[in-house]
Amino acid sequence: MYKHFFKRIFDFLASLLGLLILLPIFVFITVGLYIVNNGKPFFFQARPGLNGKIFKIIKFKTMTDRKDANGILLPDVERLTPIGVFVRKASLDEIPQLINVLKGDMSLIGPRPLLPEYLPLYNKFQARRHEVRPGITGWAQVNGRNSISWQKKFEYDVWYVDHFTLLLDLKIIFLTLKKVLMKEGISADGHVTIEPFKGT
């Protein structure tokens, strides 16, 4: 019953409450990023959701659009703004995704939505991560986040697909808050974000 009905109700009510509680922080960050990013506080990107259906994910824009002399974007670490560093380290860049949850694009808990170009690279096992709505956080995130391998990440994602319950979702929320407070697993070693997935 939870999988097919109550999870969506839980997502809607919890994300609505979360937005109301975080509204002052949301406004403060939006204004700050509006100033440093030339009027662009948000970042929109296509991501595959339930059954691989593409939607636009919403995040705070923590990096500028600075390019080199050849018109190529500079490396991530060189485009991070001071406020962007703070927002990313505190995981506050995920707050706008509560809007995606309200819309039904995402769930609070589920496999993180990755890039559309990864879709043809998945094997049958890895593709099972799209049998549920993607989440703001998930089982892989509380078991290593960006510091674990792609293979391990997919194993955690599919395990969640087969085992999620209300109690497990509540446990993941608790563990996520712990991870955020301790700033664990935010980046892979030597990188601002995890290395791109190139297939198995």
Side-chain angles (χ1 to χ4, degrees):
M1 184 67 76
Y2 175 70
K3 291 185 178 183
H4 303 291
F5 183 69
F6 286 113
K7 183 174 174 68
R8 177 63 192 137
I9 295 176
F10 174 77
D11 283 338
F12 184 86
L13 294 177
S15 58
L16 182 61
L17 178 62
L19 277 173
L20 291 174
I21 293 174
L22 296 171
L23 185 59
I25 297 175
F26 185 95
V27 172
F28 176 78
I29 295 174
T30 299
V31 172
L33 291 176
Y34 182 90
I35 294 171
V36 300
N37 288 331
N38 299 316
K40 299 177 181 178
F42 300 109
F43 171 72
F44 300 89
Q45 190 175 50
R47 297 291 175 94
L50 180 64
N51 299 319
K53 182 180 179 181
I54 303 299
F55 70 98
K56 287 290 185 71
I57 196 171
I58 310 168
K59 299 181 74 172
F60 280 127
K61 188 176 175 66
T62 57
M63 293 184 285
T64 68
D65 296 320
R66 288 175 58 208
K67 299 177 181 179
D68 62 19
N70 298 316
I72 300 172
L73 284 174
L74 293 172
D76 290 358
V77 69
E78 295 183 36
R79 293 189 292 123
L80 276 171
T81 60
I83 186 173
V85 171
F86 166 75
V87 169
R88 187 181 288 258
K89 283 187 175 181
S91 294
L92 297 175
D93 55 323
E94 313 289 354
I95 293 177
Q97 290 170 56
L98 291 172
I99 298 172
N100 286 122
V101 178
L102 284 175
K103 291 171 59 183
D105 298 326
M106 295 177 64
S107 174
L108 287 176
I109 313 297
R112 283 293 297 160
L114 302 175
L115 298 174
E117 50 261 43
Y118 294 169
L119 287 172
L121 302 179
Y122 297 144
N123 58 35
K124 282 188 176 182
F125 176 79
Q126 294 164 348
R128 292 198 59 219
R129 68 194 313 279
H130 295 296
E131 292 178 11
V132 297
R133 284 185 177 88
I136 294 178
T137 185
W139 190 233
Q141 280 60 52
V142 299
N143 282 285
R145 203 173 175 180
N146 286 337
S147 63
I148 59 177
S149 68
W150 279 109
Q151 179 180 348
K152 201 67 181 175
K153 189 187 297 284
F154 290 133
E155 289 175 4
Y156 284 133
D157 287 344
V158 177
W159 185 90
Y160 176 81
V161 170
D162 290 331
H163 296 89
F164 76 88
T165 62
L166 174 60
L167 288 178
L168 179 60
D169 280 359
L170 292 174
K171 177 180 179 180
I172 292 172
I173 290 174
F174 171 78
L175 291 174
T176 297
L177 293 174
K178 180 183 175 183
K179 288 278 183 180
V180 169
L181 291 174
M182 297 181 69
K183 297 181 174 61
E184 294 179 350
I186 293 174
S187 302
D189 291 341
H191 300 277
V192 175
T193 56
I194 193 170
E195 282 287 295
F197 177 60
K198 299 176 182 177
T200 52

